[in-house]
Amino acid sequence: MRNLLSVLCLLLAGLLSFGGLAGYQLNQLLRSEEPVREIAGTLPQQPEFSQAVTEMLIEDLANRLPEELQWAVPGGIDQMLNPILAQAFNNERTLAAWDDVLQQTRSGYTAQLEEIFAAGSSGDTSELDIELELTPIAEAMTAPLREGLADIAGWVPGINLETFDFIAPEIEIDIQAAADSEADPYTWASIAAFSRWWLFYGIGAAVLAVAGLLIGTGRTRWYALAGAAVLAAGLGLWIVTGIASPDLQHPPGVPEAGAVILDHVQTRFTSWAQPPWWVFSGIAGGVVLIGMAGALLTPSRRR
């Protein structure tokens, strides 16, 4: 009976150690500012992203400008707007706006998952989609244009400056977060909700590991320790090759800016998520060796 309890304690310790690290990473991703900043904070510095957003803004802004201003601008609206908006990515105002977008998206998505956990789910995977509100970026990028609008339009006949209201376009991109069409939103919402207890999982793993070694006798406890470590290492490698290195597909109709975001996030997320799991799996492998060595060095019981 003692050895059976030892085996159960050690196996549960292996599972809880896995849950502790997984919960810690997910909790950091959902409830801390730095991880999402590390993963996506440099996106405005990527030429592909800045170009895609600039093109979206130019298309929208060209449709918003009065016809009198469009024909009066030498070279056309595109040539006028492109240099202004392209330079707008290289200022602190735009970078600060992007950081606000990231943090608002993170906190909003966390609230979205918590709402699913509290109220239940319809089972539609679209409940897991991420809404990326780029309007603050548009406002920051077009600020120089809006501030200089009076100087540009003041000499154009037919423009009523008192009623002319140049508003930055509202841009929102829906990102499909669930690659698996059979993903259960409530399951993911439950994982997100339970991730906040990651510290208790880690403490529980340590307590159960010590208890398992103390309760067990002879070689059995060492074999149980090695088996639990093999389980933990296997789960760690499963995360490394799966969840920590996702293959984010481009859904049909996704804007170019959204495609650039997905590619960038995929690369940066893997760089952020994988290293702790390599360390975790390496430590678990070391524990396997300790367990096997302990079993070999423990004298067999003689009747």
Side-chain angles (χ1 to χ4, degrees), residues 89-108:
F89 272 96
N90 298 322
N91 60 52
E92 294 183 1
R93 178 164 43 192
T94 303
L95 294 177
W98 174 245
D99 188 65
D100 289 341
V101 167
L102 290 180
Q103 302 309 331
Q104 291 174 10
T105 302
R106 174 191 56 79
S107 59

Side-chain angles (χ1 to χ4, degrees), residues 1-102:
M1 178 61 73
R2 291 184 58 181
N3 285 334
L4 177 60
L5 289 175
S6 174
V7 170
L8 293 176
C9 285
L10 290 169
L11 289 177
L12 186 56
L15 290 174
L16 285 178
S17 64
F18 165 79
L21 179 54
Y24 170 77
Q25 279 198 320
L26 183 56
N27 185 69
Q28 287 287 302
L29 196 61
L30 294 175
R31 302 179 179 91
S32 298
E33 294 184 357
E34 195 55 38
V36 70
R37 185 177 291 138
E38 179 181 344
I39 292 170
T42 60
L43 251 174
Q45 300 172 1
Q46 305 299 317
E48 297 85 358
F49 178 72
S50 61
Q51 182 63 30
V53 174
T54 298
E55 291 176 356
M56 292 174 64
L57 287 175
I58 288 177
E59 181 180 356
D60 188 278
L61 295 175
N63 295 329
R64 289 170 178 263
L65 287 174
E67 294 182 2
E68 297 87 345
L69 182 58
Q70 293 194 32
W71 67 258
V73 176
I77 295 300
D78 290 358
Q79 294 187 21
M80 181 191 76
L81 296 180
N82 197 42
I84 297 174
L85 297 180
Q87 294 177 2
F89 272 96
N90 298 322
N91 60 52
E92 294 183 1
R93 178 164 43 192
T94 303
L95 294 177
W98 174 245
D99 188 65
D100 289 341
V101 167
L102 290 180

